[in-house]
Amino acid sequence: MRYLTFALAKGRLAKTTLKLLEQIGITCEEMKDKDTRKLIFTNEELKLKFFLAKASDVPTYVEYGAADIGVVGEDTILEEGRNLYEVMDLGFGKCRMCVCGPESAKELLNSHAMIRVASKYPEIARDYFHNIKQQTVEIIKLNGSVELAPIVGLSEVIVDIVETGTTLKENGLTVLEEVCPLSARMVVNQVSMKMEQERIQALIEKLSEV
Ligand code: PRP
């Protein structure tokens, strides 16, 4: 039997995923060692391998078949636009992709003004403004702390993830429009889906029971 390889997005999603996998009897003791510098972990008995990757790289590993299965947020899947199968909503990591800004920016959105939009997700922002709202905007790509942009005058609004809303509130910003709901998803390489259909299908079934 060949190994099935999982690519997990580093951080909270990976921790929750490992807990979920434990509930269906899939464990990886090696991975629990906090001091390890190892990058890839094996469960010999079940013929599984696991590795942690930066979230935005997970769809890349899966598209190229370096991982058969990936667990990553819907935000990253939409932004990366890779060829893969999205097979399951894992139901955790729930949040929303929103257009946010100061209350005063609301009229700029309604009047279809030419505005600047800062985001870590330029593709999602572009698709929303250009294709869905049909509003011509300038997209500015940032890499973090996006809430700063409207405060310091880099952009009028941002497109970003809102979970509890605390970051917005503490910075005097608010949700102006909702782009889409988000959660953690399981994605599968297109060839693996055919070659390993039975094992992957069994995994999906078990996961949907917990
Ligand atoms: C994310 C997101 C928001 C914040 C939303 O940022 O980009 O800034 O979390 O969460 P909240 O609604 O619960 O406040 P992250 O913490 O990943 O860091 P970053 O700003 O450096 O991207």
Side-chain angles (χ1 to χ4, degrees), residues 101-115:
E103 200 69 54
S104 60
K106 198 152 207 162
E107 55 191 279
L108 296 172
L109 294 174
N110 296 333
S111 66
H112 277 224
M114 175 73 191
I115 52 170

Side-chain angles (χ1 to χ4, degrees), residues 120 143-147 160-168:
K120 276 190 289 188
N143 296 296
S145 304
V146 183
E147 289 83 358
D160 200 19
I161 291 175
V162 179
E163 193 181 353
T164 61
T166 311
T167 313
L168 290 179

Side-chain angles (χ1 to χ4, degrees), residues 2-208:
R2 73 180 271 276
Y3 285 96
L4 266 189
T5 302
F6 287 75
L8 309 178
K10 253 189 245 178
R12 255 187 302 172
L13 283 194
K15 283 194 189 131
T16 313
T17 305
L18 291 173
K19 277 189 204 143
L20 192 67
L21 289 171
E22 277 205 32
Q23 287 180 42
I24 62 164
I26 297 176
T27 51
C28 194
E29 291 306 318
E30 270 192 315
M31 223 167 170
K32 291 181 184 164
D33 176 4
K34 287 195 177 68
D35 299 324
T36 185
R37 298 286 295 160
K38 260 182 94 161
L39 295 171
I40 185 147
F41 307 92
T42 311
N43 179 324
E44 288 298 346
E45 202 187 318
L46 298 171
K47 288 278 182 248
L48 300 173
K49 284 185 195 283
F50 301 87
F51 65 82
L52 298 176
K54 196 176 152 86
S56 54
D57 292 338
V58 168
T60 312
Y61 284 107
V62 175
E63 182 186 83
Y64 284 91
D68 301 285
I69 296 171
V71 175
V72 66
E74 175 75 352
D75 50 320
T76 308
I77 298 169
L78 293 172
E79 183 63 26
E80 295 302 314
R82 294 282 176 181
N83 289 312
L84 29 81
Y85 292 132
E86 199 181 306
V87 296
M88 195 177 180
D89 182 346
L90 293 166
F92 57 85
K94 282 194 179 160
C95 49
R96 301 181 293 157
M97 187 65 75
C98 297
V99 180
C100 311
E103 200 69 54
S104 60
K106 198 152 207 162
E107 55 191 279
L108 296 172
L109 294 174
N110 296 333
S111 66
H112 277 224
M114 175 73 191
I115 52 170
R116 288 190 292 198
V117 179
S119 186
K120 276 190 289 188
Y121 302 92
E123 292 309 320
I124 295 177
R126 202 181 321 278
D127 180 63
Y128 180 70
F129 278 98
H130 294 178
N131 301 333
I132 296 173
K133 277 180 66 87
Q134 313 221 316
Q135 178 173 4
T136 310
V137 297
E138 184 179 346
I139 311 279
I140 302 172
K141 157 96 198 225
L142 288 179
N143 296 296
S145 304
V146 183
E147 289 83 358
L148 262 176
I151 298 172
V152 299
L154 177 66
S155 70
E156 281 74 31
V157 297
I158 60 174
V159 167
D160 200 19
I161 291 175
V162 179
E163 193 181 353
T164 61
T166 311
T167 313
L168 290 179
K169 206 170 162 198
E170 290 190 1
N171 291 289
L173 304 173
T174 181
V175 171
L176 301 170
E177 289 176 1
E178 182 171 323
V179 177
C180 59
L182 302 167
S183 59
R185 304 294 162 109
M186 188 164 119
V187 293
V188 176
N189 171 268
Q190 294 183 338
V191 177
S192 307
M193 197 66 209
K194 294 193 182 75
M195 305 299 282
E196 297 290 343
Q197 200 177 8
E198 261 176 57
R199 287 172 83 193
I200 293 172
Q201 206 57 50
L203 177 70
I204 296 171
E205 269 163 38
K206 275 192 191 159
L207 283 173
S208 48

